[in-house]
Structure formats: structure tokens, C-alpha cells
Amino acid sequence: MKTVVISGMPIVLQERSKAQMKGISIGDSLSYRFFDGNFHGVSLLFAEPKGKIGTPRSLALTASGLHEKFGLPVVYLLGDCPAYERQRLIDKDVYFIVSEKYAHLPMLIANERIRKAKRVKMLSPVAQYLLLFHLQVESLEGLAARDIEGKVPYSYPSITLGITCLSDLDLCQKVADGPKRKELHFHERGQQLWDKVRPLLINPVEERVYCDELLSEDRFPICGINALAHYTWLNPDPERIIMMTAKQLRDYRASGALVRPNEFDGNIIIEAWKYPPVTSMGHVAAWVDRLSLAISLREDTDPRVENEVERLINDIEWKD
């Protein structure tokens, strides 16, 4: 017998015998202890690593094989797991429990922090993406997380966590529509919602790098002053100013595609962003979206830039 705590609720687990796990690989048999448990009426197969924890990909493959064999969702019992590894597991749709602090389960896709933890004060990158998508691309009013999946470049678990962040900041509410479905409803619309969320927005730019050349034929959205010049009457700067995700920048750096990268000067200015271009799925954005651009330039004290940013926002056609 073993007991785990989920959301403050103790769950008793019954260890499985070798006979009950007949047919699994020798590797899995040597690597894990297996338990049966029930949470919120759902039967689960719990796997506790005996030693070193595998990669998110290997855990996903193991869980898939066990689920196919036994017909039960597989949940890993992990003693410790840093935030970046938890996110990698979530992105692979791997279920897990980390001590008594975090849980990612089929019926409880949420970050189960101890209640004394502080409430969120700013939007997460995913939450900000969802909100800007809602305001500029397509209304998310009345949709559930499963409805949003496929419309944005995030997995279902990440979308769920983003919606939770929006709800915690009182920007929307999750309204039950049946026993399993929760729809998204916003308290304000259009300009009113934008005005309310302004103090909670994060700068999408994680890092700015200069280089003389980028050895790649990939296309990137234009950002910064040159994007503002596209949307308004401002004159563009002579440098090429492009946006890519932080992961893309790390990959290009590692491959040597950036020629003479530095922090001060170059023919190309690269902005590494915390989230992808806000656009409809399948559409290749030539320019970053208006609202993200406005957020990225809000610390620019040039009066010309400030005036054109306001013009940029005033010209928006709200989609909600």
C-alpha cells in the first residue's frame, strides 16, 4: 500500500504484482513499480521510477504502450521535477504527480501548488497569446479548451493552463456546460478588455541580438520600428528587424547561422519572443501582430513612436 496526496486529498494506491504486469518489457519491469489507484472516479495506473527518470519522449512512449496494454491512463509518480521539465512533460501530454505540489492528470490539468503560494500577478506567455488571439484573430467567447486546440500553436494542457491564468487574473470565467465541458466567457469586450489587461501584459521580447548576416532562407515576421512603420506613417529604420521565438534563436546560435552576433550593432536586429506570431493557424505572418508590437514598444520614449503606437491601437478591428 502507498498513499499520495492530490489537491490535498489522500489517495491510497495498491501495488501491482509481477503477475498483474505480465507481458510488459523487462526494461519497464526493472525501471518502475506499478500501482492501481482511483481519483475522481477514474481508475489510473501509477508508475514510480526506481532510479533515473527517463526523457519526456521516453516517458510518453512508455505510457502509450502501457495504456494500450492495460487500458488505463498512466500517471508517473515523481519525487522531484523542475519547472522546465514539467512543461516538457505537459507538452508531451504525459501525466504526472510531483510530491504534493504539482499534478497533471486527465481530469485535473492544472498546476496544483500548495495554497500558500502567491496568486499570479501577470499574464503567462500562453495566456497572453490566447487573449491577443481572441482580440485580433478570432473570438474565443463560448469555446472550451478542446475547441481552441488546433486554432493556436499550443497543446491542450498548455491551453488549459493559459485559461486558468486568465481566470485567476479575473479576465474571464470558466462556465460549466455539462459535467466535463467548461466554456470561456470574458467579462469585457474589445477596447474595454484591452484597457483592463494593459497592466498585466508582459513584454513579448525576451532578448534582442544584432548580427551582420543570418545564414538561413527561412522567412521571419518583421517587428520593431519597421513593423510600426508598416502599420502607421512612421519611416522605417535601415536595419532589417525580425522576430523569431527564443527557441529558434538558440537553434540558430548553436548552428552558427548568426554572423558576428553581438549586443550593440549590426545589419540585422533579431528579437527573440516568448510566444509565436499571433495569427490564424497555417498563415505565415509577414508582420508581428499590432497589439504585441504595441506592447514591445511601450518602453520607447520617443514621442513619435508613442503617438504612432496609439494610432496603431485605435485602428484595430476588434474580433470579439
Side-chain angles (χ1 to χ4, degrees):
M1 301 285 284
K2 182 182 180 70
T3 301
V4 296
V5 178
I6 307 173
S7 297
M9 180 186 302
I11 308 297
V12 177
L13 308 182
Q14 179 68 49
E15 186 168 4
R16 285 197 170 201
S17 65
K18 290 184 178 179
Q20 288 175 299
M21 299 304 295
K22 184 179 179 180
I24 68 172
S25 69
I26 295 176
D28 288 344
S29 177
L30 295 175
S31 299
Y32 299 98
R33 295 171 62 200
F34 295 97
F35 303 82
D36 283 305
N38 187 288
F39 182 64
H40 282 195
V42 178
S43 296
L44 302 168
L45 175 61
F46 292 83
E48 183 179 49
K50 294 180 180 178
K52 184 178 178 181
I53 301 173
T55 65
R57 182 175 182 276
S58 67
L59 292 179
L61 290 173
T62 297
S64 177
L66 292 171
H67 180 271
E68 184 175 343
K69 182 170 184 60
F70 297 105
L72 295 173
V74 177
V75 180
Y76 290 99
L77 301 175
L78 307 178
D80 186 35
C81 189
Y84 71 92
E85 284 291 348
R86 294 198 301 272
Q87 188 58 54
R88 291 179 63 194
L89 291 172
I90 290 172
D91 290 340
K92 292 290 185 182
D93 213 14
V94 174
Y95 303 132
F96 61 84
I97 298 171
V98 181
S99 65
E100 299 180 7
K101 296 182 179 180
Y102 306 95
H104 175 70
L105 300 177
M107 73 300 293
L108 178 67
I109 302 175
N111 197 347
E112 291 297 338
R113 296 183 183 274
I114 297 174
R115 284 308 171 193
K116 65 181 180 182
K118 296 180 180 178
R119 284 174 57 87
V120 293
K121 295 183 178 179
M122 303 290 286
L123 288 170
S124 67
V126 177
Q128 184 158 311
Y129 188 101
L130 293 176
L131 184 74
L132 299 183
F133 183 93
H134 167 70
L135 288 171
Q136 300 175 103
V137 181
E138 180 183 342
S139 174
L140 302 180
E141 176 69 24
L143 300 185
R146 285 293 184 194
D147 302 325
I148 299 172
E149 189 180 21
K151 294 179 180 290
V152 299
Y154 290 105
S155 66
Y156 170 74
S158 295
I159 293 169
T160 303
L161 291 174
I163 292 174
T164 298
C165 178
L166 292 172
S167 177
D168 287 346
L169 291 170
D170 197 33
L171 297 171
C172 71
Q173 63 183 129
K174 296 179 284 186
V175 178
D177 181 28
K180 296 183 179 180
R181 178 182 172 87
K182 288 188 177 180
E183 294 182 345
L184 191 58
H185 291 281
F186 291 88
H187 303 315
E188 285 83 18
R189 300 180 60 186
Q191 182 75 51
Q192 288 182 326
L193 179 56
W194 169 250
D195 291 339
K196 180 177 181 178
V197 79
R198 279 194 181 198
L200 308 172
L201 296 164
I202 58 170
N203 190 331
V205 182
E206 182 171 303
E207 184 181 2
R208 186 173 285 106
V209 177
Y210 296 82
C211 65
D212 289 340
E213 189 177 356
L214 177 60
L215 303 179
S216 172
E217 296 183 358
D218 294 338
R219 297 173 58 188
F220 302 97
I222 296 172
C223 58
I225 295 299
N226 289 355
L228 185 61
H230 166 73
Y231 288 122
T232 67
W233 299 347
L234 198 69
N235 290 326
D237 284 348
E239 296 86 1
R240 181 186 176 196
I241 311 176
I242 60 174
M243 167 265 190
M244 62 177 67
T245 64
K247 181 183 184 305
Q248 285 177 311
L249 178 58
R250 289 194 297 270
D251 291 343
Y252 282 119
R253 270 182 169 148
S255 68
L258 276 63
V259 177
R260 288 179 289 278
N262 66 93
E263 299 178 2
F264 308 104
D265 186 58
N267 300 322
I268 302 173
I269 303 173
I270 300 173
E271 289 186 352
W273 280 34
K274 298 171 184 174
Y275 51 80
V278 180
T279 184
S280 56
M281 287 293 284
H283 176 72
V284 179
W287 316 86
V288 296
D289 68 280
R290 292 169 180 261
L291 293 182
S292 292
L293 176 61
I295 302 165
S296 72
L297 294 172
R298 66 181 177 183
E299 295 180 7
D300 194 312
T301 57
D302 186 330
R304 297 176 308 139
V305 173
E306 292 178 343
N307 291 337
E308 294 305 320
V309 167
E310 286 303 314
R311 184 195 305 277
L312 179 77
I313 296 172
N314 292 335
D315 289 344
I316 288 179
E317 296 181 6
W318 307 104
K319 297 298 183 181
D320 67 325

